[in-house]
């Protein structure tokens, strides 16, 4: 019997086993893509060219037009020159006498006085070793037409009381009266005679200050007016320290000026 006739013992026909189909084309494409990616700058680590930095807007003088930039430069140059000239003048004023100060002393004084005057000399400071008090009294015309003389008003003591305990005293309280007296003594001899036009100016300046102080203090009384004033200074030397053997007299010394007539404008606070 033919075994292929389908007997019972005949083995079952088997279907041929199918193996997984290979995908050579897909793998080939993936490999090519991977190679392409690997060749890019990002994959290979190569850096890209840097992006341009953002432009910041100009500020200050650079933001101006060229014409205004030139004007600003000229203004700054003028200010710089003025500052240099001023510093040079102040230096020559306080420096010891030299060839420049001897040749241009008048120009230096005109620049310095009275606004920028210095009261000490460079390399040779001379601190004040005396207490100087400026005092004034007045002859006033009373409201009923009479005349009377006031006592002495210590104007320096008034300034001292205004400064004492004041954290921010004004320049006027500290220096106005003191500098006015220094100006007067520097332009007058020991007999109180003025030396030149600056002496006359110092008299007017000092007289105006004391008259205004008297007016503010009500020295003339209600309806009265100041007719004449007399100024004096009371000078006492600073006592020597306890450890010093130096003997210094602390007795006060007075310098009394003549009576000055007061014009109506000055008496009422006006300019003479």
């Amino acid at each position: 019997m033919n075994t292929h006739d389908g007997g019972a013992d005949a083995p079952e026909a088997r279907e041929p086993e199918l193996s997984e189909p290979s995908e050579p084309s897909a793998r080939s494409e993936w490999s090519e893509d991977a190679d392409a990616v690997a060749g890019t700058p990002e994959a290979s680590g190569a850096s890209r060219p840097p992006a341009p930095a953002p432009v910041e807007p100009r500020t200050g003088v650079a933001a101006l037009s060229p014409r205004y930039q030139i004007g600003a430069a000229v203004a700054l140059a003028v200010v710089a020159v003025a500052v240099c000239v001023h510093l040079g003048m102040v230096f020559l004023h306080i420096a010891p006498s030299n060839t420049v100060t001897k040749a241009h002393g008048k120009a230096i004084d005109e620049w310095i006085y009275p606004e920028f005057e210095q009261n000490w000399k460079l390399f040779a400071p001379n601190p004040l070793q005396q207490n100087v008090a400026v005092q004034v009294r007045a002859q006033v015309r009373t409201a009923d037409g009479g005349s009377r003389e006031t006592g002495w008003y210590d104007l320096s003591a008034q300034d001292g009381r205004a400064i004492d305990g004041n954290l921010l005293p004004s320049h006027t309280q500290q220096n106005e009266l003191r500098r006015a007296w220094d100006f007067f003594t520097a332009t007058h001899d020991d007999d109180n005679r003025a030396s030149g036009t600056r002496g006359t100016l110092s008299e007017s300046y000092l007289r105006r200050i004391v008259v205004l102080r008297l007016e503010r203090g009500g020295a003339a009384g209600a309806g009265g007016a100041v007719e004449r004033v007399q100024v004096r200074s009371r000078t006492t030397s600073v006592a020597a320290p306890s450890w010093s053997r130096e003997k210094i007299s602390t007795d006060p010394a007075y310098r009394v000026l003549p009576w000055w007539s007061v014009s109506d404008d000055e008496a009422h606070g006006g300019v003479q």
Side-chain angles (χ1 to χ4, degrees):
M1 180 182 287
N2 192 350
T3 57
H4 295 285
D5 289 343
D9 296 331
E12 295 180 357
R14 293 180 179 181
E15 295 180 359
E17 294 181 358
L18 298 176
S19 60
E20 294 180 3
S22 61
E23 298 176 13
S25 62
R27 290 178 181 176
S28 175
E29 292 175 0
W30 181 87
S31 300
E32 293 176 357
D33 293 341
D35 293 341
V37 172
T40 59
E42 290 82 354
S44 62
S47 59
R48 287 185 175 183
V55 179
E56 296 182 358
R58 294 183 177 182
T59 58
V61 178
L64 300 175
S65 64
R67 181 177 61 181
Y68 287 103
Q69 287 182 2
I70 295 174
V74 172
L76 291 175
V78 171
V79 172
V81 170
V83 171
C84 292
V85 171
H86 176 71
L87 293 177
M89 289 293 190
V90 173
F91 176 82
L92 292 173
H93 173 68
I94 63 178
S97 179
N98 54 71
T99 304
V100 178
T101 55
K102 290 178 181 178
H104 306 285
K106 183 177 180 181
I108 295 172
D109 289 343
E110 290 177 353
W111 181 279
I112 293 296
Y113 292 107
E115 290 85 1
F116 308 116
E117 182 181 2
Q118 309 294 315
N119 62 350
W120 60 279
K121 297 296 182 181
L122 190 63
F123 310 121
N126 184 24
L128 191 64
Q129 299 179 357
Q130 296 174 325
N131 291 320
V132 181
V134 179
Q135 302 171 345
V136 63
R137 64 179 177 179
Q139 287 183 351
V140 300
R141 184 179 65 255
T142 60
D144 57 5
S147 178
R148 65 180 178 87
E149 184 178 299
T150 68
W152 289 101
Y153 291 88
D154 195 333
L155 303 182
S156 297
Q158 294 176 5
D159 287 348
R161 287 192 294 269
I163 294 172
D164 189 22
N166 188 348
L167 296 178
L168 297 173
S170 69
H171 180 75
T172 299
Q173 292 170 334
Q174 297 180 82
N175 297 316
E176 181 186 55
L177 183 63
R178 178 179 62 85
R179 298 301 298 129
W181 180 253
D182 290 344
F183 186 25
F184 178 86
T185 56
T187 55
H188 288 72
D189 58 21
D190 294 338
D191 294 327
N192 300 319
R193 290 192 296 264
S195 55
T197 57
R198 296 183 70 245
T200 303
L201 176 63
S202 67
E203 289 182 10
S204 300
Y205 183 50
L206 180 61
R207 183 173 64 250
R208 178 174 172 77
I209 289 175
V210 298
V211 170
L212 288 175
R213 297 286 185 93
L214 291 172
E215 287 292 325
R216 293 168 186 169
V226 177
E227 291 185 323
R228 296 201 305 165
V229 293
Q230 187 177 32
V231 180
R232 75 176 183 182
S233 66
R234 183 180 185 271
T235 303
T236 54
S237 299
V238 177
S242 57
W243 46 263
S244 174
R245 297 182 179 179
E246 186 179 3
K247 301 298 182 181
I248 298 177
S249 175
T250 57
D251 295 336
Y254 292 92
R255 178 174 179 174
V256 183
L257 306 186
W259 284 93
W260 288 335
S261 298
V262 178
S263 65
D264 291 339
D265 290 338
E266 287 181 323
H268 294 88
V271 179
Q272 186 178 17

